Amino acid sequence: MTEYTPKERLARALTGQPVDRMPAVSVTQTGTVEQMEACSAFWPEANSDAEIMAKLAEAGHTIVGFEAVRVPFDITAEAEFFGCEIKDGTKEQQPSVVGHVVSSVEDIGKLKGYSLDHGRIGVVCEAIKILADKYGDELPVMGSMIGPFSLAQHINGDDWFMAIFTDEAFGLALMEFTTDFCVAYAEKMVESGADTMVIIDPTASAQLIGAEFYEKFVVPFHKRIVDAMHEVNVPVVLHICGDTTQGLKLMESSGVDGISVDQNVDVATAVGSVEKAVIVGNLDPVNMLWNQAPEAIKEQSQKVLDAGVGLLAPGCGIVSKTPTENLQAMVEMAKNHKY
């Protein structure tokens, strides 16, 4: 069989085409303290400086062995862009959203007319350009962003979950707004050099809001992003946290190419629940990748591979204190696996 470049291999794997072996990638965040120390690119600076961001993203490839480069490392840049208050991150901890800016349809109107060149959105796109210029001919360059449902929650706060049940007009208006932004942001990342898109929408769970509301407030909006990416031949992976088993068919109905599942999902069940989507995951980032030894990680990796996973990867974002040798054990298992 033909031996593919990492870029060709991932693109083919995500679109159901034959490949020589499994790609070794992480679709969720890749930054760790050991990588930071090895390449002298640290959080929190790596979240807001394009050169440092690209340098740490590169370490995922040069130090860990991932066959892709991916930015950013957190999911707060989008909310910060719209004026939400952010709790600063540290060398070991990612930033978080602590203040919100929208409580009415009128508030949504005040956020329109933005420029994607500003703030950390612009920084992420510049980091993608740096990585694409250096690696784009051979390695996949992954752009990642928070999904529109979770961005709506960041902008509106915890009232968001009640809003979709009690004020449909407001809920749909905010979803239209966040989705318009997500499409524009994704397109800008692709223009900057991204060739693979990851949507991280942690709270957009059918288990959390129910299938009826997921179908109304999530599926059509994810589909708009996916359709926009497919128009420029960019595959899309969707990650939603928690036990998404019951919602996998709905997740797939948006047209995504890959579905990243966390450690609460049985991989064999997930594989049997979808028609075309590639199942990605699902090594426990805490109890396995952070806290176990390489041999235990290899053993668990083999179980996930035997269950039929399409791409072996962490079940969620990698914990910053995860040892490099543990990630390398997972990478080795992926590289040695032939479908």
Side-chain angles (χ1 to χ4, degrees):
M1 179 177 284
T2 303
E3 183 176 342
Y4 297 99
T5 67
K7 184 171 184 174
E8 292 169 336
R9 186 178 294 118
L10 181 62
R12 291 177 68 88
L14 284 174
T15 53
Q17 301 176 69
V19 290
D20 50 341
R21 63 166 174 81
M22 179 176 285
V25 300
S26 172
V27 302
T28 52
Q29 95 80 19
T30 61
T32 64
V33 173
E34 286 190 9
Q35 291 177 66
M36 296 177 205
E37 293 172 342
C39 72
S40 297
F42 297 89
W43 292 350
E45 293 80 10
N47 293 324
S48 56
D49 182 291
E51 293 280 353
I52 301 174
M53 182 183 293
K55 192 174 182 181
L56 182 55
E58 180 182 23
H61 171 62
T62 60
I63 294 170
V64 175
F66 288 128
E67 298 176 302
V69 286
R70 180 200 183 282
V71 292
F73 308 105
D74 73 307
I75 54 171
T76 66
E78 298 88 350
E80 181 181 293
F81 179 79
F82 288 115
C84 293
E85 182 182 356
I86 306 296
K87 179 182 177 182
D88 291 337
T90 67
K91 176 181 173 181
E92 298 179 353
Q93 194 169 37
Q94 295 174 335
S96 57
V97 178
V98 295
H100 317 287
V101 294
V102 164
S103 59
S104 67
V105 171
E106 290 71 28
D107 290 337
I108 298 172
K110 298 173 185 176
L111 300 180
K112 296 181 178 179
Y114 48 80
S115 168
L116 293 175
D117 294 327
H118 296 161
R120 284 201 288 142
I121 298 304
V123 170
V124 171
C125 291
E126 180 59 28
I128 287 173
K129 187 177 187 305
I130 293 168
L131 292 165
D133 287 347
K134 186 169 185 178
Y135 291 107
D137 290 340
E138 182 178 355
L139 290 182
V141 178
M142 293 187 184
S144 176
M145 63 180 177
I146 195 169
F149 187 89
S150 298
L151 178 55
Q153 184 205 352
H154 276 177
I155 290 174
N156 184 226
D158 289 339
D159 290 344
W160 173 240
F161 296 103
M162 183 59 68
I164 65 170
F165 293 120
T166 61
D167 192 344
E168 180 177 304
F170 169 72
L172 291 175
L174 188 50
M175 285 301 302
E176 290 286 350
F177 173 79
T178 56
T179 304
D180 285 344
F181 165 80
C182 286
V183 169
Y185 185 21
E187 290 174 340
K188 185 173 178 63
M189 284 192 274
V190 172
E191 291 169 4
S192 300
D195 53 55
T196 309
M197 191 58 55
V198 182
I199 302 171
I200 307 289
D201 215 345
T203 59
S205 171
Q207 183 188 34
L208 186 64
I209 63 174
E212 178 184 349
F213 283 88
Y214 185 93
E215 194 163 12
K216 178 180 292 186
F217 284 93
V218 180
V219 172
F221 302 101
H222 282 174
K223 188 176 186 302
R224 279 183 52 198
I225 302 170
V226 172
D227 288 349
M229 291 296 94
H230 285 176
E231 285 183 9
V232 289
N233 297 314
V234 171
V236 181
V237 179
L238 171 63
H239 177 84
I240 295 175
C241 296
D243 185 356
T244 54
T245 305
Q246 299 303 316
L248 287 168
K249 289 183 183 298
L250 281 171
M251 292 168 69
E252 186 181 31
S253 70
S254 66
V256 292
D257 304 280
I259 296 175
S260 171
V261 297
D262 85 4
Q263 59 275 9
N264 294 303
V265 177
D266 177 74
V267 167
T269 302
V271 171
S273 298
V274 296
E275 293 183 9
K276 294 182 179 179
V278 173
I279 297 299
V280 183
N282 70 339
L283 294 186
D284 190 319
V286 176
N287 296 322
M288 183 57 59
L289 290 173
W290 178 18
N291 287 315
Q292 294 294 327
E295 286 308 312
I297 291 165
K298 290 181 181 180
E299 182 179 341
Q300 182 61 28
S301 294
Q302 190 60 57
K303 292 179 180 178
V304 174
L305 291 167
D306 290 342
V309 77
L311 291 174
L312 179 67
C316 198
I318 296 169
V319 178
S320 65
K321 293 185 179 181
T322 302
T324 296
E325 64 176 358
N326 288 4
L327 297 175
Q328 290 171 334
M330 178 183 65
V331 166
E332 178 185 336
M333 295 299 292
K335 287 182 176 180
N336 288 337
H337 184 71
K338 297 183 185 299
Y339 293 104

